[in-house]
Amino acid sequence: MKKLSTLFLLLILLGSCKIVNPEIQPEDSNALWIEIKHTGCYGTCPIYNWKVYANGDLQYQAMRFTEFIGVKEASMSDRELFKFYSSLKGYNLIPIDTTHRDRAIDLPSTILRVYSKNTDNYREVKCMGTCSEVYHKKIFKVEDVLFEIMEEQNRQ
């Protein structure tokens, strides 16, 4: 019983924590922190971007071949920001592994960037085509978390 109450207390504390780690988050709370881009191809590949700011602001911009075209914005709570960060860590996307690079001519690219101090200082992985299929799937799983947060906020 004591282990259960300790675990419960730990979950409550983790759920209310803000991510404060200078190695992985910009010092300026209004700065761009993480960006996920999907580029087009010669066909109908979806083209859209995600931007996550250090303060929890979230922006989804869909340009072509998506169900929604335009910009949606939301602001993540500390708990949602923690959930997002946990998904990045859980799928081993942070720290960025820059060895995932492949070249293709007519395949969409997925780009994951993590900014540390400003928009000139970032680490990126660029997947063209299948990249490492496992790595690509991990990025989509993290995006599922962002879509879930965005949908929940747009329902309110």
PDB file of all heavy atoms in Angstrom, residues 24-49:
ATOM      1  N   ILE A  24      17.637  21.174 -23.291  1.00  0.00           N
ATOM      2  CA  ILE A  24      16.664  20.778 -24.297  1.00  0.00           C
ATOM      3  C   ILE A  24      15.560  21.802 -24.510  1.00  0.00           C
ATOM      4  O   ILE A  24      14.688  21.596 -25.323  1.00  0.00           O
ATOM      5  CB  ILE A  24      16.033  19.411 -23.952  1.00  0.00           C
ATOM      6  CG1 ILE A  24      15.451  19.436 -22.543  1.00  0.00           C
ATOM      7  CG2 ILE A  24      17.030  18.299 -24.073  1.00  0.00           C
ATOM      8  CD1 ILE A  24      14.007  19.255 -22.500  1.00  0.00           C
ATOM      9  N   GLN A  25      15.599  22.893 -23.821  1.00  0.00           N
ATOM     10  CA  GLN A  25      14.547  23.888 -23.974  1.00  0.00           C
ATOM     11  C   GLN A  25      15.158  25.286 -24.005  1.00  0.00           C
ATOM     12  O   GLN A  25      16.039  25.599 -23.208  1.00  0.00           O
ATOM     13  CB  GLN A  25      13.554  23.771 -22.814  1.00  0.00           C
ATOM     14  CG  GLN A  25      12.232  24.401 -23.112  1.00  0.00           C
ATOM     15  CD  GLN A  25      11.222  24.076 -22.029  1.00  0.00           C
ATOM     16  OE1 GLN A  25      11.575  23.664 -20.934  1.00  0.00           O
ATOM     17  NE2 GLN A  25       9.973  24.265 -22.322  1.00  0.00           N
ATOM     18  N   PRO A  26      14.714  26.141 -24.950  1.00  0.00           N
ATOM     19  CA  PRO A  26      15.265  27.501 -25.030  1.00  0.00           C
ATOM     20  C   PRO A  26      15.040  28.284 -23.744  1.00  0.00           C
ATOM     21  O   PRO A  26      14.075  28.051 -23.031  1.00  0.00           O
ATOM     22  CB  PRO A  26      14.473  28.130 -26.175  1.00  0.00           C
ATOM     23  CG  PRO A  26      13.925  26.997 -26.957  1.00  0.00           C
ATOM     24  CD  PRO A  26      13.713  25.884 -25.972  1.00  0.00           C
ATOM     25  N   GLU A  27      15.958  29.196 -23.469  1.00  0.00           N
ATOM     26  CA  GLU A  27      15.842  30.040 -22.277  1.00  0.00           C
ATOM     27  C   GLU A  27      14.652  30.980 -22.389  1.00  0.00           C
ATOM     28  O   GLU A  27      13.959  31.235 -21.423  1.00  0.00           O
ATOM     29  CB  GLU A  27      17.126  30.847 -22.092  1.00  0.00           C
ATOM     30  CG  GLU A  27      18.332  29.987 -21.785  1.00  0.00           C
ATOM     31  CD  GLU A  27      19.639  30.747 -21.886  1.00  0.00           C
ATOM     32  OE1 GLU A  27      19.624  31.972 -22.075  1.00  0.00           O
ATOM     33  OE2 GLU A  27      20.682  30.084 -21.770  1.00  0.00           O
ATOM     34  N   ASP A  28      14.417  31.525 -23.584  1.00  0.00           N
ATOM     35  CA  ASP A  28      13.297  32.433 -23.830  1.00  0.00           C
ATOM     36  C   ASP A  28      12.024  31.609 -23.967  1.00  0.00           C
ATOM     37  O   ASP A  28      11.907  30.773 -24.855  1.00  0.00           O
ATOM     38  CB  ASP A  28      13.562  33.235 -25.104  1.00  0.00           C
ATOM     39  CG  ASP A  28      12.425  34.189 -25.442  1.00  0.00           C
ATOM     40  OD1 ASP A  28      11.469  34.306 -24.649  1.00  0.00           O
ATOM     41  OD2 ASP A  28      12.500  34.818 -26.509  1.00  0.00           O
ATOM     42  N   SER A  29      11.055  31.824 -23.096  1.00  0.00           N
ATOM     43  CA  SER A  29       9.834  31.010 -23.105  1.00  0.00           C
ATOM     44  C   SER A  29       8.996  31.216 -24.363  1.00  0.00           C
ATOM     45  O   SER A  29       8.150  30.396 -24.675  1.00  0.00           O
ATOM     46  CB  SER A  29       8.999  31.279 -21.864  1.00  0.00           C
ATOM     47  OG  SER A  29       8.514  32.604 -21.893  1.00  0.00           O
ATOM     48  N   ASN A  30       9.215  32.313 -25.098  1.00  0.00           N
ATOM     49  CA  ASN A  30       8.470  32.545 -26.334  1.00  0.00           C
ATOM     50  C   ASN A  30       9.188  31.986 -27.563  1.00  0.00           C
ATOM     51  O   ASN A  30       8.701  32.113 -28.679  1.00  0.00           O
ATOM     52  CB  ASN A  30       8.224  34.041 -26.544  1.00  0.00           C
ATOM     53  CG  ASN A  30       7.314  34.595 -25.471  1.00  0.00           C
ATOM     54  OD1 ASN A  30       6.352  33.963 -25.065  1.00  0.00           O
ATOM     55  ND2 ASN A  30       7.640  35.779 -24.977  1.00  0.00           N
ATOM     56  N   ALA A  31      10.340  31.370 -27.359  1.00  0.00           N
ATOM     57  CA  ALA A  31      11.155  30.888 -28.476  1.00  0.00           C
ATOM     58  C   ALA A  31      10.615  29.575 -29.034  1.00  0.00           C
ATOM     59  O   ALA A  31      10.026  28.761 -28.320  1.00  0.00           O
ATOM     60  CB  ALA A  31      12.594  30.696 -28.016  1.00  0.00           C
ATOM     61  N   LEU A  32      10.843  29.388 -30.323  1.00  0.00           N
ATOM     62  CA  LEU A  32      10.504  28.130 -30.973  1.00  0.00           C
ATOM     63  C   LEU A  32      11.374  27.031 -30.381  1.00  0.00           C
ATOM     64  O   LEU A  32      12.580  27.191 -30.234  1.00  0.00           O
ATOM     65  CB  LEU A  32      10.750  28.252 -32.487  1.00  0.00           C
ATOM     66  CG  LEU A  32      10.433  27.034 -33.331  1.00  0.00           C
ATOM     67  CD1 LEU A  32       8.961  26.652 -33.220  1.00  0.00           C
ATOM     68  CD2 LEU A  32      10.780  27.317 -34.793  1.00  0.00           C
ATOM     69  N   TRP A  33      10.754  25.908 -30.018  1.00  0.00           N
ATOM     70  CA  TRP A  33      11.477  24.824 -29.364  1.00  0.00           C
ATOM     71  C   TRP A  33      11.586  23.611 -30.274  1.00  0.00           C
ATOM     72  O   TRP A  33      12.660  23.091 -30.507  1.00  0.00           O
ATOM     73  CB  TRP A  33      10.789  24.476 -28.051  1.00  0.00           C
ATOM     74  CG  TRP A  33      11.370  23.314 -27.320  1.00  0.00           C
ATOM     75  CD1 TRP A  33      12.686  22.970 -27.221  1.00  0.00           C
ATOM     76  CD2 TRP A  33      10.654  22.341 -26.574  1.00  0.00           C
ATOM     77  NE1 TRP A  33      12.831  21.843 -26.451  1.00  0.00           N
ATOM     78  CE2 TRP A  33      11.602  21.442 -26.050  1.00  0.00           C
ATOM     79  CE3 TRP A  33       9.319  22.147 -26.291  1.00  0.00           C
ATOM     80  CZ2 TRP A  33      11.242  20.363 -25.255  1.00  0.00           C
ATOM     81  CZ3 TRP A  33       8.965  21.079 -25.489  1.00  0.00           C
ATOM     82  CH2 TRP A  33       9.914  20.200 -24.982  1.00  0.00           C
ATOM     83  N   ILE A  34      10.452  23.157 -30.805  1.00  0.00           N
ATOM     84  CA  ILE A  34      10.449  21.961 -31.652  1.00  0.00           C
ATOM     85  C   ILE A  34       9.612  22.239 -32.884  1.00  0.00           C
ATOM     86  O   ILE A  34       8.553  22.875 -32.809  1.00  0.00           O
ATOM     87  CB  ILE A  34       9.892  20.749 -30.878  1.00  0.00           C
ATOM     88  CG1 ILE A  34      10.886  20.395 -29.777  1.00  0.00           C
ATOM     89  CG2 ILE A  34       9.637  19.578 -31.815  1.00  0.00           C
ATOM     90  CD1 ILE A  34      10.503  19.266 -28.905  1.00  0.00           C
ATOM     91  N   GLU A  35      10.101  21.737 -33.997  1.00  0.00           N
ATOM     92  CA  GLU A  35       9.403  21.913 -35.262  1.00  0.00           C
ATOM     93  C   GLU A  35       9.400  20.568 -35.989  1.00  0.00           C
ATOM     94  O   GLU A  35      10.415  19.880 -36.040  1.00  0.00           O
ATOM     95  CB  GLU A  35      10.150  22.963 -36.079  1.00  0.00           C
ATOM     96  CG  GLU A  35       9.481  23.400 -37.327  1.00  0.00           C
ATOM     97  CD  GLU A  35      10.206  24.577 -37.965  1.00  0.00           C
ATOM     98  OE1 GLU A  35      11.426  24.768 -37.732  1.00  0.00           O
ATOM     99  OE2 GLU A  35       9.545  25.301 -38.705  1.00  0.00           O
ATOM    100  N   ILE A  36       8.244  20.199 -36.524  1.00  0.00           N
ATOM    101  CA  ILE A  36       8.120  19.003 -37.343  1.00  0.00           C
ATOM    102  C   ILE A  36       7.526  19.445 -38.669  1.00  0.00           C
ATOM    103  O   ILE A  36       6.453  20.052 -38.686  1.00  0.00           O
ATOM    104  CB  ILE A  36       7.221  17.933 -36.687  1.00  0.00           C
ATOM    105  CG1 ILE A  36       7.762  17.546 -35.310  1.00  0.00           C
ATOM    106  CG2 ILE A  36       7.106  16.707 -37.587  1.00  0.00           C
ATOM    107  CD1 ILE A  36       6.832  16.653 -34.504  1.00  0.00           C
ATOM    108  N   LYS A  37       8.225  19.149 -39.753  1.00  0.00           N
ATOM    109  CA  LYS A  37       7.769  19.560 -41.082  1.00  0.00           C
ATOM    110  C   LYS A  37       7.576  18.335 -41.962  1.00  0.00           C
ATOM    111  O   LYS A  37       8.379  17.409 -41.916  1.00  0.00           O
ATOM    112  CB  LYS A  37       8.807  20.451 -41.762  1.00  0.00           C
ATOM    113  CG  LYS A  37       9.048  21.774 -41.141  1.00  0.00           C
ATOM    114  CD  LYS A  37      10.076  22.534 -41.966  1.00  0.00           C
ATOM    115  CE  LYS A  37      10.256  23.937 -41.464  1.00  0.00           C
ATOM    116  NZ  LYS A  37      11.103  24.730 -42.361  1.00  0.00           N
ATOM    117  N   HIS A  38       6.542  18.390 -42.770  1.00  0.00           N
ATOM    118  CA  HIS A  38       6.309  17.369 -43.792  1.00  0.00           C
ATOM    119  C   HIS A  38       6.250  18.082 -45.134  1.00  0.00           C
ATOM    120  O   HIS A  38       5.403  18.945 -45.340  1.00  0.00           O
ATOM    121  CB  HIS A  38       4.994  16.624 -43.541  1.00  0.00           C
ATOM    122  CG  HIS A  38       5.049  15.762 -42.327  1.00  0.00           C
ATOM    123  ND1 HIS A  38       5.548  14.479 -42.345  1.00  0.00           N
ATOM    124  CD2 HIS A  38       4.701  16.008 -41.047  1.00  0.00           C
ATOM    125  CE1 HIS A  38       5.480  13.968 -41.140  1.00  0.00           C
ATOM    126  NE2 HIS A  38       4.975  14.887 -40.320  1.00  0.00           N
ATOM    127  N   THR A  39       7.172  17.730 -46.022  1.00  0.00           N
ATOM    128  CA  THR A  39       7.229  18.367 -47.329  1.00  0.00           C
ATOM    129  C   THR A  39       6.463  17.536 -48.354  1.00  0.00           C
ATOM    130  O   THR A  39       6.088  16.398 -48.093  1.00  0.00           O
ATOM    131  CB  THR A  39       8.682  18.531 -47.806  1.00  0.00           C
ATOM    132  OG1 THR A  39       9.241  17.234 -48.060  1.00  0.00           O
ATOM    133  CG2 THR A  39       9.519  19.279 -46.778  1.00  0.00           C
ATOM    134  N   GLY A  40       6.270  18.104 -49.515  1.00  0.00           N
ATOM    135  CA  GLY A  40       5.518  17.444 -50.567  1.00  0.00           C
ATOM    136  C   GLY A  40       6.365  16.540 -51.437  1.00  0.00           C
ATOM    137  O   GLY A  40       7.547  16.319 -51.197  1.00  0.00           O
ATOM    138  N   CYS A  41       5.716  16.021 -52.456  1.00  0.00           N
ATOM    139  CA  CYS A  41       6.363  15.195 -53.461  1.00  0.00           C
ATOM    140  C   CYS A  41       5.727  15.574 -54.796  1.00  0.00           C
ATOM    141  O   CYS A  41       4.969  16.535 -54.865  1.00  0.00           O
ATOM    142  CB  CYS A  41       6.163  13.719 -53.148  1.00  0.00           C
ATOM    143  SG  CYS A  41       4.414  13.217 -53.135  1.00  0.00           S
ATOM    144  N   TYR A  42       5.983  14.829 -55.841  1.00  0.00           N
ATOM    145  CA  TYR A  42       5.373  15.134 -57.131  1.00  0.00           C
ATOM    146  C   TYR A  42       3.900  14.735 -57.176  1.00  0.00           C
ATOM    147  O   TYR A  42       3.197  15.065 -58.112  1.00  0.00           O
ATOM    148  CB  TYR A  42       6.126  14.448 -58.263  1.00  0.00           C
ATOM    149  CG  TYR A  42       7.509  15.001 -58.461  1.00  0.00           C
ATOM    150  CD1 TYR A  42       8.605  14.149 -58.511  1.00  0.00           C
ATOM    151  CD2 TYR A  42       7.728  16.370 -58.589  1.00  0.00           C
ATOM    152  CE1 TYR A  42       9.884  14.648 -58.695  1.00  0.00           C
ATOM    153  CE2 TYR A  42       9.002  16.879 -58.759  1.00  0.00           C
ATOM    154  CZ  TYR A  42      10.069  16.004 -58.814  1.00  0.00           C
ATOM    155  OH  TYR A  42      11.329  16.501 -58.990  1.00  0.00           O
ATOM    156  N   GLY A  43       3.432  14.035 -56.174  1.00  0.00           N
ATOM    157  CA  GLY A  43       2.041  13.594 -56.114  1.00  0.00           C
ATOM    158  C   GLY A  43       1.238  14.372 -55.101  1.00  0.00           C
ATOM    159  O   GLY A  43       1.330  15.601 -55.021  1.00  0.00           O
ATOM    160  N   THR A  44       0.481  13.657 -54.275  1.00  0.00           N
ATOM    161  CA  THR A  44      -0.426  14.291 -53.315  1.00  0.00           C
ATOM    162  C   THR A  44       0.003  14.031 -51.865  1.00  0.00           C
ATOM    163  O   THR A  44      -0.824  13.757 -51.005  1.00  0.00           O
ATOM    164  CB  THR A  44      -1.863  13.789 -53.530  1.00  0.00           C
ATOM    165  OG1 THR A  44      -1.866  12.356 -53.403  1.00  0.00           O
ATOM    166  CG2 THR A  44      -2.400  14.190 -54.891  1.00  0.00           C
ATOM    167  N   CYS A  45       1.267  14.127 -51.589  1.00  0.00           N
ATOM    168  CA  CYS A  45       1.761  13.940 -50.226  1.00  0.00           C
ATOM    169  C   CYS A  45       1.312  15.115 -49.356  1.00  0.00           C
ATOM    170  O   CYS A  45       1.424  16.271 -49.771  1.00  0.00           O
ATOM    171  CB  CYS A  45       3.285  13.862 -50.228  1.00  0.00           C
ATOM    172  SG  CYS A  45       3.944  12.543 -51.262  1.00  0.00           S
ATOM    173  N   PRO A  46       0.814  14.847 -48.159  1.00  0.00           N
ATOM    174  CA  PRO A  46       0.385  15.931 -47.270  1.00  0.00           C
ATOM    175  C   PRO A  46       1.553  16.866 -46.923  1.00  0.00           C
ATOM    176  O   PRO A  46       2.660  16.415 -46.645  1.00  0.00           O
ATOM    177  CB  PRO A  46      -0.100  15.210 -46.015  1.00  0.00           C
ATOM    178  CG  PRO A  46      -0.320  13.804 -46.421  1.00  0.00           C
ATOM    179  CD  PRO A  46       0.614  13.532 -47.560  1.00  0.00           C
ATOM    180  N   ILE A  47       1.271  18.167 -46.944  1.00  0.00           N
ATOM    181  CA  ILE A  47       2.277  19.165 -46.611  1.00  0.00           C
ATOM    182  C   ILE A  47       1.767  19.940 -45.396  1.00  0.00           C
ATOM    183  O   ILE A  47       0.752  20.629 -45.487  1.00  0.00           O
ATOM    184  CB  ILE A  47       2.521  20.131 -47.793  1.00  0.00           C
ATOM    185  CG1 ILE A  47       2.935  19.345 -49.038  1.00  0.00           C
ATOM    186  CG2 ILE A  47       3.569  21.173 -47.421  1.00  0.00           C
ATOM    187  CD1 ILE A  47       2.957  20.186 -50.302  1.00  0.00           C
ATOM    188  N   TYR A  48       2.469  19.790 -44.277  1.00  0.00           N
ATOM    189  CA  TYR A  48       2.065  20.500 -43.061  1.00  0.00           C
ATOM    190  C   TYR A  48       3.239  20.618 -42.107  1.00  0.00           C
ATOM    191  O   TYR A  48       4.240  19.934 -42.248  1.00  0.00           O
ATOM    192  CB  TYR A  48       0.881  19.811 -42.388  1.00  0.00           C
ATOM    193  CG  TYR A  48       1.143  18.404 -41.910  1.00  0.00           C
ATOM    194  CD1 TYR A  48       1.528  18.166 -40.599  1.00  0.00           C
ATOM    195  CD2 TYR A  48       0.988  17.304 -42.757  1.00  0.00           C
ATOM    196  CE1 TYR A  48       1.759  16.883 -40.138  1.00  0.00           C
ATOM    197  CE2 TYR A  48       1.215  16.015 -42.313  1.00  0.00           C
ATOM    198  CZ  TYR A  48       1.600  15.813 -41.010  1.00  0.00           C
ATOM    199  OH  TYR A  48       1.841  14.548 -40.561  1.00  0.00           O
ATOM    200  N   ASN A  49       3.109  21.522 -41.135  1.00  0.00           N
ATOM    201  CA  ASN A  49       4.149  21.795 -40.134  1.00  0.00           C
ATOM    202  C   ASN A  49       3.536  21.872 -38.746  1.00  0.00           C
ATOM    203  O   ASN A  49       2.409  22.326 -38.586  1.00  0.00           O
ATOM    204  CB  ASN A  49       4.824  23.154 -40.381  1.00  0.00           C
ATOM    205  CG  ASN A  49       5.475  23.256 -41.727  1.00  0.00           C
ATOM    206  OD1 ASN A  49       5.943  22.279 -42.283  1.00  0.00           O
ATOM    207  ND2 ASN A  49       5.502  24.464 -42.258  1.00  0.00           N
TER     208      ASN A  49
END
